[in-house]
Amino acid sequence: RKAGGKSIIAFAKIGEEFSNIGEGFSKEISHTNSYYLDPTKPEHFKKIFQIVDDTAKKSNSNIAGIIHLWSLNHQFPESILDVKDKTSINAIIKTQDEGIVSILHLIQAQIAQYGKLLPMWFITRNSQPVIENMHLSGVLQSPIWGLAMTLSLEHPSRKNLDQVCRCVDLISDYSISKNSLNIEADLILKEIENAGEDRQIAVGDNRRFVKRLTRLDRYLDSSPIKFKKDIASRNGSSGNDSVYLITGGLGALGVLTAQHLISLGAKHIVLMSRQTKKDSIKSQIQKESGKPQINSVETLSVETLIEQGVEVQIHSGDVSNIDDLEQIFADIEERGLRIAGIVHAAGTIDDGILIN
């Protein structure tokens, strides 16, 4: 509108089949450009961009940007993290589908249609801990912020990404009313109309938060110095019952992490990996200077570290399988140990970027 050109609004609602929503859905939104999409089907996103682009060309208008609101469908109490509840698991999967999965397909469809990304606004609610003791009812929406940061590193035009991708978290209590939704809509529109350089923003409760770098010396309690002292105190002469669990433990990062924890005084390490012990022979651990080189995790645990009073257990399992995790926790408990820390280093390397 500011440029004096025409504009159209294309509205997408979640549905199993791609189709026009039809009349009667909303008085405020034209049914002509309203469609049902399945967020898990990339072909639906390609279709809507083709349709909207054709409509824009016929009306001599352009697509100014995209506002992603689907994630706001999912606000949960803390009980959602009860992984034994199948309802919780299904809710988490649905949140992923309507959140990061839909955004991934949105990104890929834009590249396919235009060869570039349009300005995008990813809206979440209560996903960022900007207020002390804040209930993060939208914590399952937080991966969207991580996806946006990944996009900023991968996008070929990342120099101009300030105008391409922004995240806005709405600060709100758990009770959502029509009045509160109107207030949130006004907050979103104000951010869009007055967009500055900030790409990560939280608004609500008459406050606005943006990300800023802060000197580390203000938070010495969370620094590596504190971490080292913490390891030493937990594994001192007063007791050796602390164990550190590393997922992806036989990967390069997991092995180096184990080495580092041991150098800081850890006496019990549990390495969880989908690899077999035979595969672990490929893993190399270079000990601290003055100590012998270890050629495998197996050698590290069985031959050398036992002599130094260090125990390394290798468990075969998948961190995404709750039964595998419960078995490991049960084993640790049976051995009279307590988990002092967990390093989640599991992952799959599959070269590729978001646009493919």
Side-chain angles (χ1 to χ4, degrees), residues 89-112:
I89 294 295
N90 292 335
I92 291 172
I93 293 173
K94 188 175 182 181
T95 302
Q96 290 177 333
D97 287 344
E98 297 179 11
I100 56 175
V101 172
S102 69
I103 290 175
L104 175 64
H105 295 156
L106 194 64
I107 292 168
Q108 293 173 339
Q110 290 176 74
I111 296 295

mmCIF file of all heavy atoms in Angstrom, residues 89-112:
data_model
loop_
_atom_site.group_PDB
_atom_site.id
_atom_site.type_symbol
_atom_site.label_atom_id
_atom_site.label_comp_id
_atom_site.label_asym_id
_atom_site.label_seq_id
_atom_site.Cartn_x
_atom_site.Cartn_y
_atom_site.Cartn_z
ATOM 1 N N ILE A 89 2.798 -37.482 22.679
ATOM 2 C CA ILE A 89 3.664 -37.779 21.529
ATOM 3 C C ILE A 89 3.003 -37.319 20.235
ATOM 4 O O ILE A 89 3.638 -36.678 19.385
ATOM 5 C CB ILE A 89 3.964 -39.291 21.444
ATOM 6 C CG1 ILE A 89 4.795 -39.731 22.654
ATOM 7 C CG2 ILE A 89 4.683 -39.616 20.154
ATOM 8 C CD1 ILE A 89 6.173 -39.126 22.714
ATOM 9 N N ASN A 90 1.719 -37.611 20.071
ATOM 10 C CA ASN A 90 1.003 -37.196 18.860
ATOM 11 C C ASN A 90 0.941 -35.674 18.757
ATOM 12 O O ASN A 90 1.039 -35.117 17.658
ATOM 13 C CB ASN A 90 -0.413 -37.782 18.863
ATOM 14 C CG ASN A 90 -0.413 -39.294 18.705
ATOM 15 O OD1 ASN A 90 0.525 -39.869 18.160
ATOM 16 N ND2 ASN A 90 -1.457 -39.947 19.185
ATOM 17 N N ALA A 91 0.778 -34.999 19.906
ATOM 18 C CA ALA A 91 0.724 -33.542 19.901
ATOM 19 C C ALA A 91 2.064 -32.950 19.487
ATOM 20 O O ALA A 91 2.126 -31.950 18.766
ATOM 21 C CB ALA A 91 0.313 -33.031 21.279
ATOM 22 N N ILE A 92 3.147 -33.564 19.958
ATOM 23 C CA ILE A 92 4.486 -33.095 19.592
ATOM 24 C C ILE A 92 4.714 -33.251 18.094
ATOM 25 O O ILE A 92 5.234 -32.345 17.424
ATOM 26 C CB ILE A 92 5.553 -33.864 20.391
ATOM 27 C CG1 ILE A 92 5.485 -33.477 21.871
ATOM 28 C CG2 ILE A 92 6.961 -33.570 19.844
ATOM 29 C CD1 ILE A 92 6.352 -34.318 22.767
ATOM 30 N N ILE A 93 4.322 -34.403 17.548
ATOM 31 C CA ILE A 93 4.487 -34.646 16.113
ATOM 32 C C ILE A 93 3.674 -33.641 15.301
ATOM 33 O O ILE A 93 4.147 -33.083 14.298
ATOM 34 C CB ILE A 93 4.073 -36.085 15.766
ATOM 35 C CG1 ILE A 93 5.045 -37.082 16.403
ATOM 36 C CG2 ILE A 93 4.026 -36.291 14.249
ATOM 37 C CD1 ILE A 93 4.616 -38.523 16.265
ATOM 38 N N LYS A 94 2.434 -33.388 15.734
ATOM 39 C CA LYS A 94 1.587 -32.436 15.018
ATOM 40 C C LYS A 94 2.176 -31.027 15.069
ATOM 41 O O LYS A 94 2.136 -30.283 14.084
ATOM 42 C CB LYS A 94 0.179 -32.439 15.622
ATOM 43 C CG LYS A 94 -0.830 -31.619 14.819
ATOM 44 C CD LYS A 94 -2.236 -31.763 15.382
ATOM 45 C CE LYS A 94 -3.233 -30.976 14.535
ATOM 46 N NZ LYS A 94 -4.610 -31.080 15.070
ATOM 47 N N THR A 95 2.731 -30.672 16.229
ATOM 48 C CA THR A 95 3.368 -29.361 16.368
ATOM 49 C C THR A 95 4.549 -29.229 15.411
ATOM 50 O O THR A 95 4.753 -28.178 14.795
ATOM 51 C CB THR A 95 3.856 -29.151 17.815
ATOM 52 O OG1 THR A 95 2.748 -29.282 18.703
ATOM 53 C CG2 THR A 95 4.465 -27.767 17.982
ATOM 54 N N GLN A 96 5.324 -30.282 15.265
ATOM 55 C CA GLN A 96 6.451 -30.270 14.331
ATOM 56 C C GLN A 96 5.963 -30.132 12.890
ATOM 57 O O GLN A 96 6.518 -29.363 12.098
ATOM 58 C CB GLN A 96 7.273 -31.545 14.487
ATOM 59 C CG GLN A 96 8.046 -31.618 15.788
ATOM 60 C CD GLN A 96 8.795 -32.924 15.937
ATOM 61 O OE1 GLN A 96 8.407 -33.951 15.390
ATOM 62 N NE2 GLN A 96 9.881 -32.896 16.688
ATOM 63 N N ASP A 97 4.914 -30.887 12.556
ATOM 64 C CA ASP A 97 4.384 -30.844 11.183
ATOM 65 C C ASP A 97 3.889 -29.446 10.815
ATOM 66 O O ASP A 97 4.161 -28.943 9.722
ATOM 67 C CB ASP A 97 3.242 -31.845 11.022
ATOM 68 C CG ASP A 97 3.716 -33.291 10.979
ATOM 69 O OD1 ASP A 97 4.927 -33.494 10.771
ATOM 70 O OD2 ASP A 97 2.889 -34.200 11.167
ATOM 71 N N GLU A 98 3.163 -28.820 11.742
ATOM 72 C CA GLU A 98 2.589 -27.511 11.459
ATOM 73 C C GLU A 98 3.579 -26.377 11.723
ATOM 74 O O GLU A 98 3.297 -25.221 11.406
ATOM 75 C CB GLU A 98 1.319 -27.315 12.291
ATOM 76 C CG GLU A 98 0.236 -28.331 11.932
ATOM 77 C CD GLU A 98 -1.028 -28.182 12.763
ATOM 78 O OE1 GLU A 98 -1.143 -27.167 13.480
ATOM 79 O OE2 GLU A 98 -1.897 -29.071 12.684
ATOM 80 N N GLY A 99 4.730 -26.728 12.296
ATOM 81 C CA GLY A 99 5.760 -25.741 12.573
ATOM 82 C C GLY A 99 6.927 -25.848 11.615
ATOM 83 O O GLY A 99 6.865 -25.379 10.474
ATOM 84 N N ILE A 100 8.000 -26.503 12.050
ATOM 85 C CA ILE A 100 9.224 -26.515 11.248
ATOM 86 C C ILE A 100 9.065 -27.269 9.927
ATOM 87 O O ILE A 100 9.693 -26.908 8.931
ATOM 88 C CB ILE A 100 10.406 -27.096 12.054
ATOM 89 C CG1 ILE A 100 10.087 -28.498 12.587
ATOM 90 C CG2 ILE A 100 10.800 -26.171 13.174
ATOM 91 C CD1 ILE A 100 11.263 -29.149 13.289
ATOM 92 N N VAL A 101 8.232 -28.309 9.887
ATOM 93 C CA VAL A 101 8.045 -29.044 8.632
ATOM 94 C C VAL A 101 7.360 -28.158 7.595
ATOM 95 O O VAL A 101 7.776 -28.093 6.428
ATOM 96 C CB VAL A 101 7.227 -30.333 8.865
ATOM 97 C CG1 VAL A 101 6.872 -30.993 7.534
ATOM 98 C CG2 VAL A 101 8.007 -31.316 9.735
ATOM 99 N N SER A 102 6.310 -27.457 8.014
ATOM 100 C CA SER A 102 5.602 -26.582 7.074
ATOM 101 C C SER A 102 6.502 -25.441 6.603
ATOM 102 O O SER A 102 6.456 -25.045 5.435
ATOM 103 C CB SER A 102 4.338 -26.020 7.723
ATOM 104 O OG SER A 102 4.646 -25.101 8.753
ATOM 105 N N ILE A 103 7.339 -24.913 7.498
ATOM 106 C CA ILE A 103 8.241 -23.821 7.119
ATOM 107 C C ILE A 103 9.297 -24.315 6.139
ATOM 108 O O ILE A 103 9.663 -23.613 5.186
ATOM 109 C CB ILE A 103 8.891 -23.212 8.373
ATOM 110 C CG1 ILE A 103 7.839 -22.446 9.174
ATOM 111 C CG2 ILE A 103 10.047 -22.292 7.998
ATOM 112 C CD1 ILE A 103 8.334 -21.895 10.485
ATOM 113 N N LEU A 104 9.792 -25.528 6.352
ATOM 114 C CA LEU A 104 10.752 -26.106 5.411
ATOM 115 C C LEU A 104 10.153 -26.179 4.012
ATOM 116 O O LEU A 104 10.771 -25.776 3.020
ATOM 117 C CB LEU A 104 11.184 -27.495 5.875
ATOM 118 C CG LEU A 104 12.100 -28.271 4.930
ATOM 119 C CD1 LEU A 104 13.429 -27.553 4.758
ATOM 120 C CD2 LEU A 104 12.327 -29.688 5.430
ATOM 121 N N HIS A 105 8.930 -26.677 3.909
ATOM 122 C CA HIS A 105 8.260 -26.781 2.606
ATOM 123 C C HIS A 105 7.948 -25.394 2.040
ATOM 124 O O HIS A 105 7.982 -25.196 0.816
ATOM 125 C CB HIS A 105 6.974 -27.599 2.745
ATOM 126 C CG HIS A 105 7.227 -29.027 3.127
ATOM 127 N ND1 HIS A 105 6.303 -29.817 3.755
ATOM 128 C CD2 HIS A 105 8.326 -29.814 2.953
ATOM 129 C CE1 HIS A 105 6.805 -31.023 3.965
ATOM 130 N NE2 HIS A 105 8.033 -31.041 3.484
ATOM 131 N N LEU A 106 7.666 -24.454 2.926
ATOM 132 C CA LEU A 106 7.407 -23.080 2.503
ATOM 133 C C LEU A 106 8.651 -22.476 1.862
ATOM 134 O O LEU A 106 8.576 -21.818 0.812
ATOM 135 C CB LEU A 106 6.997 -22.258 3.733
ATOM 136 C CG LEU A 106 6.374 -20.890 3.538
ATOM 137 C CD1 LEU A 106 5.047 -20.998 2.829
ATOM 138 C CD2 LEU A 106 6.186 -20.216 4.905
ATOM 139 N N ILE A 107 9.798 -22.709 2.475
ATOM 140 C CA ILE A 107 11.068 -22.204 1.961
ATOM 141 C C ILE A 107 11.392 -22.824 0.606
ATOM 142 O O ILE A 107 11.741 -22.126 -0.359
ATOM 143 C CB ILE A 107 12.201 -22.486 2.966
ATOM 144 C CG1 ILE A 107 12.010 -21.648 4.233
ATOM 145 C CG2 ILE A 107 13.572 -22.214 2.343
ATOM 146 C CD1 ILE A 107 12.912 -22.065 5.375
ATOM 147 N N GLN A 108 11.262 -24.131 0.515
ATOM 148 C CA GLN A 108 11.609 -24.840 -0.718
ATOM 149 C C GLN A 108 10.685 -24.456 -1.870
ATOM 150 O O GLN A 108 11.129 -24.318 -3.015
ATOM 151 C CB GLN A 108 11.561 -26.344 -0.463
ATOM 152 C CG GLN A 108 12.639 -26.815 0.504
ATOM 153 C CD GLN A 108 12.491 -28.273 0.888
ATOM 154 O OE1 GLN A 108 11.414 -28.856 0.761
ATOM 155 N NE2 GLN A 108 13.567 -28.872 1.374
ATOM 156 N N ALA A 109 9.392 -24.251 -1.574
ATOM 157 C CA ALA A 109 8.442 -23.878 -2.622
ATOM 158 C C ALA A 109 8.737 -22.484 -3.160
ATOM 159 O O ALA A 109 8.598 -22.226 -4.364
ATOM 160 C CB ALA A 109 7.015 -23.947 -2.082
ATOM 161 N N GLN A 110 9.156 -21.569 -2.285
ATOM 162 C CA GLN A 110 9.511 -20.219 -2.739
ATOM 163 C C GLN A 110 10.713 -20.240 -3.672
ATOM 164 O O GLN A 110 10.721 -19.573 -4.709
ATOM 165 C CB GLN A 110 9.851 -19.337 -1.535
ATOM 166 C CG GLN A 110 8.692 -18.972 -0.656
ATOM 167 C CD GLN A 110 9.165 -18.191 0.542
ATOM 168 O OE1 GLN A 110 9.524 -17.012 0.425
ATOM 169 N NE2 GLN A 110 9.181 -18.818 1.703
ATOM 170 N N ILE A 111 11.718 -20.992 -3.277
ATOM 171 C CA ILE A 111 12.917 -21.091 -4.115
ATOM 172 C C ILE A 111 12.563 -21.669 -5.475
ATOM 173 O O ILE A 111 13.056 -21.212 -6.518
ATOM 174 C CB ILE A 111 13.989 -21.949 -3.425
ATOM 175 C CG1 ILE A 111 14.461 -21.285 -2.133
ATOM 176 C CG2 ILE A 111 15.170 -22.197 -4.353
ATOM 177 C CD1 ILE A 111 15.172 -19.976 -2.319
ATOM 178 N N ALA A 112 11.701 -22.702 -5.480
ATOM 179 C CA ALA A 112 11.304 -23.336 -6.739
ATOM 180 C C ALA A 112 10.516 -22.376 -7.629
ATOM 181 O O ALA A 112 10.674 -22.371 -8.851
ATOM 182 C CB ALA A 112 10.467 -24.588 -6.447
#
